[in-house]
């Protein structure tokens, strides 16, 4: 329990410092989803990842993960969050938005879809710029 409390305290501090580390989707006043995004340098673990490490020196904003509770999946929440993320990143001055989706022809387990499906990014105008593992491309959209 102490680990969870420490994580919550760190997260509250990040939010209080600003800018927000992501966006929340609401339906009828209730939260139905979350997307984590921001300048790539705000996410140190990306540099340590063999899949998500930098493609080049270009400054990018990164979409790191989506969280949509099971009762709201399959209702377009993640797509709406992606649209909001694109608009928010552009509003904040980002010129390139990058993501690290899952690319599989068959349906993946829900717990494997934190990064979003490549097809969702394709529909939103992202283009593949790297692929370091068979099912994990790096995609970008110029804003």
């Amino acid at each position: 329990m102490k680990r969870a409390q420490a994580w919550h305290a760190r997260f509250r501090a990040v939010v209080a410092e600003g800018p927000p580390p992501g966006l929340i989707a609401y339906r009828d006043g209730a939260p139905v989803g979350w997307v984590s995004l921001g300048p790539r340098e705000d996410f140190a673990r990306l540099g340590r990842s063999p899949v998500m490490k930098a493609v080049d020196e270009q400054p990018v904003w990164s979409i790191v993960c989506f969280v949509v509770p099971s009762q709201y999946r399959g209702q377009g929440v993640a797509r709406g969050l992606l649209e909001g993320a694109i608009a928010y990143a552009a509003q904040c001055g980002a010129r390139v938005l990058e993501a690290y989706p899952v690319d599989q022809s068959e349906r993946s387990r829900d717990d494997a879809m934190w990064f979003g499906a490549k097809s969702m990014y394709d529909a939103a105008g992202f283009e593949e710029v790297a692929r370091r593992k068979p099912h994990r491309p790096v995609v970008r959209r110029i804003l």
Side-chain angles (χ1 to χ4, degrees), residues 5 8 27 31-32 37-38 43 47 50 56 59 69 80 90-92 109-110 114 116-117 119 133 140-141:
Q5 290 170 336
H8 286 284
R27 182 178 293 152
V32 296
L37 79 152
F43 300 99
D56 53 32
Q91 176 188 348
C92 291
R109 294 184 342 262
D110 288 343
W114 289 79
S119 59
K133 288 196 174 183
R140 286 184 176 170
R141 178 170 161 170

Side-chain angles (χ1 to χ4, degrees), residues 100-108 112-113 115-122 128 130-131 133-139:
Y100 320 96
V102 174
D103 184 16
Q104 293 183 316
S105 56
E106 69 280 352
R107 176 146 172 87
S108 295
M113 295 304 295
F115 302 103
K118 183 175 183 290
S119 59
M120 178 177 72
Y121 289 98
D122 291 344
E128 185 172 328
R131 186 177 292 248
K133 288 196 174 183
H135 300 293
R136 294 298 308 282
V138 177
V139 298

Side-chain angles (χ1 to χ4, degrees), residues 22-142:
L23 304 172
I24 300 171
Y26 290 90
R27 182 178 293 152
D28 299 325
V32 296
W34 155 267
V35 62
S36 178
L37 79 152
R40 180 181 174 78
E41 60 269 14
D42 289 356
F43 300 99
R45 70 183 175 134
L46 295 179
R48 296 186 302 267
S49 168
V51 172
M52 299 179 283
K53 65 185 176 185
V55 172
D56 53 32
E57 297 298 319
Q58 191 163 241
V60 300
W61 270 45
S62 294
I63 296 175
V64 178
C65 72
F66 291 85
V67 177
V68 178
S70 59
Q71 66 267 35
Y72 301 111
R73 293 180 191 149
Q75 300 174 30
V77 173
R79 281 190 310 276
L81 282 164
L82 179 56
E83 291 170 11
I86 293 166
Y88 177 70
Q91 176 188 348
C92 291
R95 298 181 48 86
V96 180
L97 188 56
E98 184 174 272
Y100 320 96
V102 174
D103 184 16
Q104 293 183 316
S105 56
E106 69 280 352
R107 176 146 172 87
S108 295
R109 294 184 342 262
D110 288 343
D111 63 345
M113 295 304 295
W114 289 79
F115 302 103
K118 183 175 183 290
S119 59
M120 178 177 72
Y121 289 98
D122 291 344
F126 284 72
E127 295 185 13
E128 185 172 328
V129 295
R131 186 177 292 248
R132 297 177 178 121
K133 288 196 174 183
H135 300 293
R136 294 298 308 282
V138 177
V139 298
R140 286 184 176 170
R141 178 170 161 170
I142 306 301

